Amino acid sequence: MLFGVTIIAGLLWLFYKHWVSVYTHWKEKGIPFHPAKFPFGSHPNLVKLKEYRGYTIDKMYHRFAPHPMFGIFFLRSPMLIVRDPETIQLILTKEFSHFRDRRILKISEKDVLNHHLFYLQGEKWRDLRMKLTPTFTSGKLKAMFPLFISCAESFSSLLLSKSDSKIDIKELMSRFTADVICSCAFGLELDVINHPDSKLRMIGIEKIKLQFLQKLKMAATILFPALSTLLNMRFTSLEDEKYILNLVKKIVEQREKNGIVRNDFIDLLMQSKNKGNQGDNEQEFEKTFEITLELMAAQCYVFFLAGFETSSSLQSFCLYELALHQDIQSRLIKEINEKIENNNGLTYKALHEMEYLDMIISETSRKYPTLPMLYRSCTKPIILPSGHKIEQDTIISIPTWSLHHDPQYFPDPEKFDPQRFSQENRGSIVPYTYLPFGEGPRMCIGMRFGLLQTKVGIVTLLQKCKVETCEDTKIPLVMGGISATTAPDEPIIIKLIARS
């Protein structure tokens, strides 16, 4: 009995020593670091996610000023936090070939819906990115614009029924964004605006929440990538996978059989599948990249998730700030009225003439960046200008929230001030301190689409209603740890007032 207890104790001690052995990593590199403790690493909140990650990292960010970078540990994985804009530019753009991959969860080959641009690595990412980039040009978005307007018309009817009442603005705007994405990604007219319990919208809502099992899988994948591959660990349920695959298959078959053209995302993927790189020289690619039905489904899946969550959050935060700042809202409504009247309606051209709207959305993106941190993985060793050598597989994190709230770059950062992004002031923003969509070759491919649907949603609402605070409006908003993105744990409640 005693011998058995001794063996177990000895094994536990060896496991502990192995676990903490890596905690000298940054000291050996000569890089300042936040100390780590068994088993969570530098901070339990980075693992438990009981506090918004942006807040946790921000405390460290200010503690290590003015160092250009500092090290932390996630469980027992070293991670380098880069806070210097010039080094960030080097990582994201100048030396991109050394930092081409994101910090990637090890995705099983069988988890087909997660083989999309966000997770893909190396040449596979490069080839697919080059194939898909032409689908998000201004010309392609302009061709899709009638689909946006169709959804906006349905949204207008819903707004009239909600006017003069308190509403959860995120829930309301997510109906609109889900409807737009269903139309533009899948070619489906599901009328999510009036039927919010649709299957696709429910998938989107559940995916963004980080449930305990998801947290456990993420930790296991980061710690033991080989084991997660061996076990074919999945991050998408089989039920959701079968639903999305069957949905895309039926849509493609129906369009090919009946010659249906909608100028939406699936149309553009089908063109790429059937015609190679949509007319580009295929010899530019180092290898042939076949767009299969599964790959198409994966791109539609991530397009839906990303567009659904990011745009509805951006719209919600924007309308919340407009409710707090009636003077800014009044000026924006005046601009909307003028541009729509000058263009005989809400047109693609009218939206692009709304400069103040663009300033407001840019400031909202600064104050509430969708992702509190950007991740990259070192793919080739490199020596930084500081003299520090970054080894292959080092995880790099860029603290977007902290940069956007650093008074050194954005004075009085908690103040909502669209003038920061006026034509006169935009040029004074320090490069690589404003990163709402990332930067460099791996920046968000759907940025233009996301901004377009955000503008359509806000303009449609403000044509019908004004927004005001009420007794249930939380001031200030506190971000939570439940969501994978920047979001409060509680609903954003404001009041809609019908415009006369």
Side-chain angles (χ1 to χ4, degrees):
M1 180 68 176
L2 180 60
F3 178 75
V5 170
T6 303
I7 292 295
I8 292 172
L11 291 173
L12 290 174
W13 183 81
L14 288 173
F15 175 76
Y16 168 80
K17 293 298 289 183
H18 169 72
W19 189 279
V20 301
S21 62
V22 75
Y23 289 166
T24 60
H25 177 83
W26 295 120
K27 184 177 181 180
E28 294 167 359
K29 294 288 183 185
I31 293 175
F33 66 98
H34 193 286
K37 292 182 180 180
F38 177 84
F40 296 114
S42 292
H43 204 294
N45 281 338
L46 294 176
V47 181
K48 296 180 179 180
L49 300 179
K50 292 193 174 179
E51 178 185 62
Y52 175 61
R53 285 173 296 156
Y55 295 157
T56 303
I57 292 295
D58 194 54
K59 295 165 191 171
M60 302 180 192
Y61 175 93
H62 290 288
R63 176 189 165 192
F64 284 97
H67 294 289
M69 66 190 81
F70 62 93
I72 66 169
F73 298 89
F74 177 83
L75 296 168
R76 68 183 305 272
S77 295
M79 183 183 298
L80 186 66
I81 311 292
V82 180
R83 58 190 310 283
D84 169 56
E86 290 187 3
T87 308
I88 293 171
Q89 182 178 20
L90 180 145
I91 290 167
L92 296 182
T93 304
K94 287 185 176 179
E95 297 292 349
F96 174 74
S97 63
H98 289 265
F99 303 95
R100 188 160 62 173
D101 295 338
R102 285 195 171 97
R103 183 201 66 156
I104 302 297
L105 297 175
K106 192 69 175 178
I107 301 299
S108 165
E109 287 297 322
K110 294 184 178 180
D111 193 4
V112 297
L113 288 188
N114 278 315
H115 287 266
H116 48 65
L117 271 183
F118 192 84
Y119 283 146
L120 288 177
Q121 304 182 59
E123 293 306 310
K124 199 169 186 179
W125 165 80
R126 173 183 173 273
D127 286 0
L128 185 60
R129 173 83 184 207
M130 291 180 72
K131 280 183 177 287
L132 294 184
T133 294
T135 67
F136 292 97
T137 61
S138 297
K140 293 293 197 305
L141 291 179
K142 194 171 183 179
M144 285 186 194
F145 194 68
L147 303 177
F148 287 76
I149 294 302
S150 177
C151 295
E153 290 170 353
S154 298
F155 189 47
S156 293
S157 300
L158 176 65
L159 290 170
L160 293 175
S161 69
K162 298 287 184 181
S163 61
D164 301 316
S165 62
K166 296 185 290 186
I167 49 101
D168 176 351
I169 191 62
K170 174 71 179 292
E171 195 278 334
L172 185 70
M173 300 312 296
S174 71
R175 293 197 201 182
F176 170 71
T177 56
D179 213 36
V180 172
I181 297 290
C182 284
S183 180
C184 293
F186 294 93
L188 299 172
E189 296 180 4
L190 298 180
D191 191 18
V192 181
I193 289 168
N194 296 304
H195 301 90
D197 295 330
S198 69
K199 175 72 172 178
L200 272 175
R201 183 170 179 265
M202 291 300 103
I203 289 175
I205 290 172
E206 289 303 314
K207 187 66 177 178
I208 297 301
K209 295 178 183 177
L210 289 176
Q211 307 293 351
F212 174 76
L213 184 59
Q214 286 288 86
K215 296 178 188 178
L216 193 63
K217 286 182 178 179
M218 289 169 63
T221 300
I222 292 168
L223 286 171
F224 313 110
L227 181 62
S228 65
T229 302
L230 182 66
L231 296 176
N232 285 319
M233 199 172 289
R234 304 181 59 86
F235 291 90
T236 305
S237 72
L238 273 172
E239 179 188 349
D240 290 350
E241 181 180 290
K242 288 178 180 177
Y243 176 80
I244 299 292
L245 283 172
N246 287 333
L247 185 64
V248 172
K249 182 180 179 181
K250 288 178 182 177
I251 293 169
V252 170
E253 288 176 348
Q254 183 183 31
R255 293 191 186 188
E256 288 180 341
K257 180 180 178 180
N258 300 305
I260 298 171
V261 177
R262 277 180 54 94
N263 290 316
D264 58 13
F265 191 55
I266 281 192
D267 264 6
L268 300 171
L269 284 170
M270 287 172 64
Q271 290 173 23
S272 187
K273 178 176 182 291
N274 297 330
K275 300 179 183 178
N277 191 43
Q278 298 185 19
D280 286 351
N281 187 352
E282 197 70 19
Q283 293 179 353
E284 293 178 5
F285 298 100
E286 295 181 11
K287 57 186 177 182
T288 301
F289 193 97
E290 182 186 2
I291 294 187
T292 63
L293 183 68
E294 289 77 14
L295 198 67
M296 290 174 64
Q299 309 325 305
C300 288
Y301 177 64
V302 74
F303 183 52
F304 174 77
L305 289 181
F308 165 72
E309 171 59 24
T310 58
S311 293
S312 60
S313 291
L314 182 54
Q315 290 167 334
S316 304
F317 289 131
C318 183
L319 292 164
Y320 168 81
E321 290 290 347
L322 292 177
L324 292 177
H325 301 90
Q326 291 294 314
D327 56 332
I328 295 175
Q329 183 178 177
S330 296
R331 179 178 167 183
L332 176 58
I333 288 174
K334 181 180 178 182
E335 179 185 69
I336 289 170
N337 291 342
E338 288 177 354
K339 299 304 179 185
I340 287 178
E341 182 179 353
N342 292 343
N343 288 276
N344 298 314
L346 179 53
T347 63
Y348 189 80
K349 181 172 177 286
L351 275 182
H352 281 268
E353 290 177 359
M354 296 180 188
E355 294 182 4
Y356 195 55
L357 173 61
D358 191 65
M359 290 161 56
I360 289 171
I361 290 174
S362 296
E363 174 67 348
T364 305
S365 299
R366 178 202 66 82
K367 193 172 179 183
Y368 306 97
T370 299
L371 296 175
M373 302 161 75
L374 304 177
Y375 295 103
R376 295 293 185 270
S377 177
C378 182
T379 51
K380 291 191 292 185
I382 186 173
I383 297 177
L384 299 179
S386 62
H388 295 102
K389 183 177 182 180
I390 306 300
E391 303 288 353
Q392 186 171 337
D393 297 329
T394 300
I395 298 170
I396 311 292
S397 177
I398 297 163
T400 314
W401 174 274
S402 297
L403 290 165
H404 286 197
H405 289 80
D406 190 334
Q408 178 182 356
Y409 306 124
F410 300 98
D412 196 5
E414 297 309 313
K415 179 182 179 182
F416 186 78
D417 182 11
Q419 290 302 128
R420 301 181 203 270
F421 294 91
S422 66
Q423 290 295 327
E424 297 78 14
N425 296 330
R426 188 180 284 267
S428 64
I429 296 173
V430 176
Y432 292 83
T433 61
Y434 177 67
L435 301 164
F437 294 95
E439 194 53 82
R442 194 133 197 175
M443 74 182 298
C444 176
I445 194 173
M447 177 184 71
R448 288 176 176 172
F449 182 96
L451 289 174
L452 184 60
Q453 75 167 348
T454 294
K455 291 177 180 180
V456 172
I458 291 171
V459 169
T460 300
L461 186 144
L462 292 179
Q463 281 183 284
K464 300 293 181 182
C465 305
K466 290 174 29 179
V467 288
E468 295 181 357
T469 58
C470 61
E471 63 274 12
D472 295 328
T473 306
K474 300 291 183 183
I475 306 174
L477 287 179
V478 177
M479 302 302 114
I482 294 175
S483 174
T485 57
T486 299
D489 287 341
E490 298 181 18
I492 303 175
I493 307 296
I494 57 177
K495 190 173 184 179
L496 290 184
I497 307 295
R499 284 181 57 191
S500 57

mmCIF file of all heavy atoms in Angstrom, residues 104 199 235 261 485 499:
data_model
loop_
_atom_site.group_PDB
_atom_site.id
_atom_site.type_symbol
_atom_site.label_atom_id
_atom_site.label_comp_id
_atom_site.label_asym_id
_atom_site.label_seq_id
_atom_site.Cartn_x
_atom_site.Cartn_y
_atom_site.Cartn_z
ATOM 1 N N ILE A 104 -2.737 28.091 -34.507
ATOM 2 C CA ILE A 104 -3.790 27.238 -35.028
ATOM 3 C C ILE A 104 -4.081 26.084 -34.084
ATOM 4 O O ILE A 104 -3.193 25.439 -33.566
ATOM 5 C CB ILE A 104 -3.378 26.668 -36.399
ATOM 6 C CG1 ILE A 104 -3.086 27.806 -37.365
ATOM 7 C CG2 ILE A 104 -4.441 25.752 -36.953
ATOM 8 C CD1 ILE A 104 -4.258 28.686 -37.655
ATOM 9 N N LYS A 199 -32.331 27.190 -38.134
ATOM 10 C CA LYS A 199 -31.225 26.302 -37.795
ATOM 11 C C LYS A 199 -29.868 26.993 -37.936
ATOM 12 O O LYS A 199 -29.011 26.888 -37.052
ATOM 13 C CB LYS A 199 -31.281 25.058 -38.688
ATOM 14 C CG LYS A 199 -30.121 24.090 -38.538
ATOM 15 C CD LYS A 199 -30.169 23.338 -37.234
ATOM 16 C CE LYS A 199 -29.101 22.244 -37.198
ATOM 17 N NZ LYS A 199 -29.078 21.509 -35.925
ATOM 18 N N PHE A 235 -14.188 20.048 -33.562
ATOM 19 C CA PHE A 235 -14.667 21.316 -33.007
ATOM 20 C C PHE A 235 -16.015 21.716 -33.612
ATOM 21 O O PHE A 235 -16.542 22.776 -33.323
ATOM 22 C CB PHE A 235 -13.623 22.420 -33.231
ATOM 23 C CG PHE A 235 -12.390 22.225 -32.410
ATOM 24 C CD1 PHE A 235 -11.320 21.497 -32.896
ATOM 25 C CD2 PHE A 235 -12.315 22.732 -31.128
ATOM 26 C CE1 PHE A 235 -10.188 21.291 -32.132
ATOM 27 C CE2 PHE A 235 -11.193 22.537 -30.358
ATOM 28 C CZ PHE A 235 -10.126 21.814 -30.848
ATOM 29 N N VAL A 261 -28.413 31.737 -61.288
ATOM 30 C CA VAL A 261 -27.311 32.649 -60.977
ATOM 31 C C VAL A 261 -27.829 33.719 -60.017
ATOM 32 O O VAL A 261 -28.832 34.368 -60.308
ATOM 33 C CB VAL A 261 -26.743 33.314 -62.247
ATOM 34 C CG1 VAL A 261 -25.650 34.314 -61.886
ATOM 35 C CG2 VAL A 261 -26.207 32.264 -63.205
ATOM 36 N N THR A 485 -15.472 36.212 -28.794
ATOM 37 C CA THR A 485 -15.198 37.548 -29.315
ATOM 38 C C THR A 485 -15.465 38.592 -28.236
ATOM 39 O O THR A 485 -15.832 38.268 -27.114
ATOM 40 C CB THR A 485 -16.085 37.831 -30.539
ATOM 41 O OG1 THR A 485 -17.465 37.687 -30.156
ATOM 42 C CG2 THR A 485 -15.781 36.858 -31.672
ATOM 43 N N ARG A 499 -39.125 57.461 -35.654
ATOM 44 C CA ARG A 499 -38.889 58.811 -36.180
ATOM 45 C C ARG A 499 -40.158 59.314 -36.850
ATOM 46 O O ARG A 499 -40.836 58.577 -37.546
ATOM 47 C CB ARG A 499 -37.758 58.790 -37.195
ATOM 48 C CG ARG A 499 -36.363 58.669 -36.586
ATOM 49 C CD ARG A 499 -35.293 58.691 -37.671
ATOM 50 N NE ARG A 499 -35.379 59.902 -38.479
ATOM 51 C CZ ARG A 499 -34.715 60.076 -39.621
ATOM 52 N NH1 ARG A 499 -33.922 59.128 -40.068
ATOM 53 N NH2 ARG A 499 -34.820 61.209 -40.290
#
